[in-house]
Amino acid sequence: QFGAEFRRFSLDRYKPGKFEDFYKLILHIHHIANLEVMIGYADVHGDLLPINNDDNFFKAVSSAHPLLRVFIQRQDEVDYSNFGTNTLSRKKKALVTLRNDNLRRRPHINISMPHDFRPVSSIIDVDILPETHRRVRLYRHGCEKPLGFYIRDGTSVRVTPHGLEKVPGIFISRMVPGGLAESTGLLAVNDEVLEVNGIEVAGKTLDQVTDMMIANSHNLIITVKPANQRNNIIRSSRMSGSSGQSTDSTASHHSLPTSHVLQNFHPDEMESDEEADIVIEGGLEPQHIPKLHSLTSSSLSRINGSSLSHRLQRDLVLNNSSGRESNGSIHKLLSSLKTDPRHSLVIPRGGIEEDGTVITL
Amino acid sequence: MRRFLRPGHDPVRERLKRDLFQFNKTVEHGFPHQPSALGYSPFLRLMAIGTRSGAIKLYGAPGVEFMGLHEENNTVMQIHFIPDQCQLVTLLDDNSLHLWSLKQQGGASELREEHRFTLKGPPGSPPSATQVTAVLPHSSREVLYLGTESGSIFVAELPWLRVLEGRTISPEAVLQRIPEDNCNRRSCELVEALQEHPKNPDQILIGYSRGLIVLWDLQSNQATQHFLGSQQLENLYWQRDGSKFISCHYDGSYTQWPVSSDNKQSEPLENTVPYGPFPCKAISKIYWQTTKNGLPYIIFQGGMPRASYGDRHSISVIHGSQQTAFDFTSRVIDFFIIFSSDPAAEFDDPSALVALAEEELVVIDLKSAGWPAVHPPYLASLHCSAITCSHHVSNIPLKLWERIISAGSKQNMHYSSMPWPIDGGTNIAPDPPQRDLLLTGHEDGTVRFWDASGVCLHLLYKLSTVRVFLTDADPNDNMNTLGEDEWPPLRKVGTFDPYSDDPRLGIQKIYLCKYSGYLAVAGTAGQVLVMELNDEDAEHVVDHAEADLLQDQEGYRWKGHEKLKTRDGPVRFEAGFQPFVLVQCQPPAVVTSLALHSEWKLVAFGTSHGFGLFDHQQKRLVFVKCTLHPSDQLALEGPLSRVKSLKKSLRQSFRRIRRSRVSSRKRRGAAGNASEEMELAPVQRKIEARSAEDSFTGFVRTLYFADTFLRDSSRHCPSLWAGTNGGTVYAFCLRVPPAERRMDEPVRAEQAKEIQLMHRAPVVGILVLDGRSTPLPEPLEVAHDLSKSPDMQGSHQLLVVSEEQFKVFTLPKVSSKLKLKLTALEGCRVRKVTVANFGSCKTDDYSENDLAVLTNLGDIQIISLPFLKLQIRYPCIRKEDVSGIASCVFTKYGQGFYLISPSEFERFSLSTKWLVEPRCIVDMPEVTSNNHMHNKSGTENAARKSRGSGKSPGDCEEEDEGKSGRLMEHALLNDEKVLKEIQSTLEGGRGSFAERNSARSPLGHGLSNGGAD
């Protein structure tokens, strides 16, 4: 039942009604009334966005032209990191379902704000850092841009009980024009690097810090002390980061989680105890663009059938460019659609029957 | 993740960790780097070597080793043992003197620094006034005589090293009794040599640099005799009876001088320039050794004709008509002679010459005809050709061990059968628990097999791969082919030969199967040799195959070295490992990984272009796989492409020399500018994620054979795993025909998996864990009942170690199960990784497997299996010591080796259970051996003792009974008072001293014979 299933139906564009009604309608149409599902839609850019309240349902319907592609997934298969999902009440239900699952997955904190663009960087943990510091996260996944910056040794002045003291530090020495680091506008030459992915760099050599940054290059979180302190975030207004994505966070170690959570928040990648608790299946790699996973064993509700292959192809390009793939079922789907754009090197002949001969982890 | 770093709170585990892990640097193997001084104690029979980095190492019987390090890390200039003591004095190049002593502590002796002292002159005096040039530890054991650059001789009291001001022998005092027309103040500049009279401790011989030699009486404080040498003095040596001494000079001559109390100024008896008549180099040290047959041994260093042989490092031995100049491979630091240690013996009867050269220790047997060399049990020159790789094999089966030894003994026929002459101290370390082999690959295409079981790293066997290939150098072309009548009679000694004929011969990877005796060796020019141990000489053809790793890739040109040419037809191989298969990779890039499976008879090899699998049973290439990224030009062209040709570089260096002569001043200005520029542009590092387009991603870093579940969880099959620099892991399913059809059916291989690690870091290790999470055993290990057969029921796991992460995957479906992100957490990268077995020191029945990891920071970490938890971390190697880190090799039982210099391995241990370290005792030879210390070296003499022992035979005679006489002697000599009495009674007739002594010597003989009975 939960392969891919396509239905086409019509709705009143101008009076879409309530989300709850729509939800029931969907369940009815698909004869899956007894399941918890997650509804998403493809926006004008082809990105998958959630429908879980009246507002975004309305936005989805109004933006449909002429068809609205709605995707329905089992609740327990949804990767919450894809998009903000539910209201708090729904989240609880989701947790119940999760526990039935064999996989132990951490509860994900969901948000209600949809987003229709891909982040390249963000300022995080504003609430727990001193105002003079800035924690910047660079998203390199799927993006062809180089990280594009250099670091150097230097000295910084610290205030200590004995007065001012010069201590060695690591600084950003150069930005590559057109690189990811420069394009974010969040990092600048002479910013002092304090932490890399939650690990302090004090006492580490330039080479060590270089290695740490490269090792984290797929999801690099750098805490810097900007050389220019005038552009610092002012606590009262949240929306001041140049990426427009500046939000508070619920860093897992923080005792007082705030009500708003960053989109694309992957608990796995924070400095929490990822290895100890989470078993990551080959197909679910947190570093990757989340949209892809939602396709996995999901029920696809289609309004316009012809756009599926287009959509898949697009995903595959992404998929290919970052050199990863998910598990076998999507392979079958892909090969049957004959839209595999990859070269034979990536999937060796005869490898399709095997489960995932090419695995990027 | 961070939780891993916090110390575990499990107290049971913490306690267990203490029982399992312990870090110790235990012993340094090999030859000390940059030795600078040599000393020998005939009394202790210990040799001491000092180095330029301030280390001092003592060696005695095999296994007896001590090491000390001067805090200052300054060059050790001189080493002198205090006569009849477990003490020695070192002089460093900062003019400081250090007193070391061997003390027993907890059942074993230890070398410790006791006192230090720097000679200080009166305020305002130039530093040269107190610059020590000669040291004489007096036989009284109470004082040191210190000759200085100013010509003064200071007296320092032992053991506190305090100067006794009143006893200084000033040049003015010396000159008082010497006629002024012969000498002036300048004659007494710089004390070159100080020697104590062999029979009379109150007389010392002072040799000044300008040629003046004075016999000084310590009692009367005046010069009793002086000798005017016309040449600049180098050294002095007393003859055994004290009637003559010999001096050697800067012009390559030596002179004999008679000593008598009659005349104050003596004329030389004999003055010879042994390699004259043309100008010769200085003779820096000389020995004159008497023998029973009357013909003395004259042994001296240097003296070669300046023009034609001035560059040779030689020690000449002349005995009657026999004369040989031993020609050393590097500069001679110092040498000594081991001769009769019996104080009463009339003659020296030298038995061995021990020479310390810059790169090796050579011992010559002077008793056997032809003066053959003695094979040293330690201090091996590991670097006689530069070490290019090493491989350790633990727990060698006895059979293989014996066969290797027997192959090696056939190679060592030319060595003397003399037992090792430096045999002081007692090794009390327990016997090594198992037989371990360390194999080192060298630049000249040889593999050396070392016995690494114990404290002495001893060469067992040397294998050369050169014979398989045609090289430019003719093996018969060596320096020994000098004609019979060649003058001087040079003879090459030593093995140090750092000049490789052909760098392509260099050994890069070694793999030895200890059960089957199969050995695979791979080299710089893509050559892979498979060898078998044969106890007999044999002549056979080596099967030759080529593996084209580029295959269908076209349009590339290899710009590196050519492949090695092979010999056609059968080749004669000596007993030992004999090659039977040669595979040459094309392009002939350096082999970067190698694996051998002796049970399946397969060998896998990888280069920067790809990897291949060869069936050495059927002698057939099974498959090759190109791992090269099409855009990777750098790897394609080869490492040598950017190195200019020899001709070109020579031309350039000449140009550089010319330029430097023309405009050295101009250049200096430019250099200043350059350094300024350096300051303007500080070191910076680029932060960029790894990409598939990076260079050398195809470089094959590791190869691994495993019998595991690759395709499905019901059937296991042989497999080959390969990991590359770009973070790719390839897995091939192999079909090996059963033994009975092994020759009939081909081995097949099929690619089953390809894993691309997201972080793309180089894969440095691949390992499969069985159902019990135990690493799969080595091939044939189970067949030899030495390992439990692996658990093939439970699910297997794959461990991939990249430079940045440890990652466990399930098998056969490869999904990530666990990981440890080492680099992300600590900023260090994995350089070496091995599975090691750690046993508990408390209970015999507990042991576990862990990963021993060396990082690029030189730290060693132990990481548990299969949970990948960091257990413990030890700093081991300095992170700047790149060659040390690169050379590190772990053993299977938690020990390891790394190079601390080109010629030395440091051995370390991570285990509480397997610890190989020197543990030895040096006893003060008691009075019985006090006999023997007499007159052993020309530098020190114990006349008082000699008289003491001279007296005791008399006592013996009175007692008329050998045994009780010996006891009596003990009693007498142990009692200082009695000794002094004896001495005072003898004080009277010093004049006829020599005569009396010679009269007594037969008695001495009688005694020592009695003692021996």
Side-chain angles (χ1 to χ4, degrees), chain B residues 227-244:
Chain B
F227 313 86
L228 283 171
S230 55
Q231 283 298 330
Q232 202 175 313
L233 182 77
E234 288 285 320
N235 219 328
L236 296 169
Y237 187 79
W238 279 105
Q239 281 185 30
R240 194 177 180 96
D241 59 3
S243 64
K244 275 180 277 186

Side-chain angles (χ1 to χ4, degrees), chain B residues 140 171 190 287 327 383 471 479 482 500 611 787 833 879 936:
Chain B
S140 64
L190 208 153
Y287 275 81
D327 184 8
H383 62 319
T471 54
M479 309 292 277
L482 289 168
S500 172
F611 58 96
S787 169
V833 61
K879 67 171 183 284
K936 281 215 254 153

Side-chain angles (χ1 to χ4, degrees), chain A residues 112-339:
Chain A
S112 58
M113 193 170 64
H115 68 103
D116 50 6
F117 47 84
R118 186 184 311 128
V120 288
S121 64
S122 54
I123 302 183
I124 58 173
D125 292 347
V126 178
D127 54 332
I128 55 167
L129 286 175
E131 281 176 42
T132 53
H133 295 179
R134 181 186 295 164
R135 186 167 290 168
V136 176
R137 179 167 188 176
L138 299 176
Y139 300 86
R140 214 193 73 86
H141 42 228
C143 139
E144 289 301 305
K145 269 186 189 171
L147 285 171
F149 66 101
Y150 290 75
I151 56 171
R152 62 168 171 88
D153 279 320
T155 48
S156 81
V157 180
R158 291 275 152 74
V159 185
T160 65
H162 319 288
L164 292 179
E165 214 170 68
K166 273 191 174 179
V167 290
I170 305 286
F171 294 84
I172 294 175
S173 62
R174 189 154 86 86
M175 302 292 243
V176 177
L180 187 61
E182 189 209 46
S183 66
T184 66
L186 297 179
L187 298 171
V189 171
N190 292 332
D191 284 1
E192 184 182 1
V193 178
L194 303 170
E195 287 178 357
V196 176
N197 288 52
I199 313 272
E200 275 191 53
V201 304
K204 294 204 158 57
T205 65
L206 184 63
D207 288 328
Q208 274 176 284
V209 177
T210 306
D211 286 340
M212 286 167 67
M213 286 189 175
I214 290 173
N216 286 307
S217 59
H218 289 274
N219 173 48
L220 186 57
I221 303 168
I222 318 174
T223 310
V224 293
K225 186 177 168 198
N228 180 356
Q229 291 281 341
R230 274 174 298 179
N231 292 340
N232 281 346
I233 300 154
I234 303 141
R235 278 282 158 80
S236 52
S237 95
R238 277 200 308 279
M239 307 300 275
S240 61
S242 28
S243 74
Q245 281 289 309
S246 163
T247 49
D248 295 341
S249 109
T250 54
S252 51
H253 54 269
H254 198 247
S255 54
L256 291 168
T258 46
S259 55
H260 291 273
V261 185
L262 182 77
Q263 290 97 328
N264 274 25
F265 171 71
H266 307 304
D268 294 359
E269 283 155 36
M270 296 310 287
E271 52 276 22
S272 56
D273 43 358
E274 113 192 57
E275 329 277 340
D277 295 325
I278 302 169
V279 178
I280 302 156
E281 280 296 316
L284 291 171
E285 189 65 23
Q287 279 97 333
H288 192 54
I289 302 179
K291 294 178 192 79
L292 199 71
H293 310 299
S294 57
L295 283 170
T296 316
S297 66
S298 63
S299 155
L300 292 160
S301 179
R302 310 272 328 188
I303 299 168
N304 184 348
S306 66
S307 68
L308 172 70
S309 64
H310 165 77
R311 169 69 201 278
L312 282 170
Q313 219 156 0
R314 212 185 54 84
D315 278 339
L316 278 168
V317 175
L318 267 172
N319 186 355
N320 196 22
S321 64
S322 62
R324 63 156 301 112
E325 62 128 60
S326 43
N327 65 29
S329 64
I330 192 159
H331 263 302
K332 282 178 199 158
L333 192 63
L334 295 174
S335 52
S336 65
L337 286 167
K338 307 248 183 264
T339 55

Side-chain angles (χ1 to χ4, degrees), chain B residues 155-174:
Chain B
V155 185
E157 188 183 10
L158 283 174
W160 304 281
L161 297 172
R162 259 199 319 252
V163 173
L164 301 172
E165 297 286 353
R167 291 173 65 178
T168 304
I169 305 167
S170 65
E172 289 73 22
V174 170

Side-chain angles (χ1 to χ4, degrees), chain A residues 147 173 198 207 273 275 361, chain B residues 2-3 684-685 758 819:
Chain A
L147 285 171
S173 62
D207 288 328
D273 43 358
E275 329 277 340
L361 298 149
Chain B
R2 241 191 224 161
R3 185 184 293 170
Q684 56 177 7
R685 295 277 184 271
M758 184 68 157
K819 62 181 166 183

Side-chain angles (χ1 to χ4, degrees), chain B residues 974-991:
Chain B
N974 279 333
D975 192 337
E976 282 287 313
K977 257 190 216 159
V978 179
L979 208 68
K980 285 217 170 99
E981 264 178 45
I982 295 169
Q983 193 176 343
S984 62
T985 55
L986 287 165
E987 215 84 79
R990 194 175 294 134

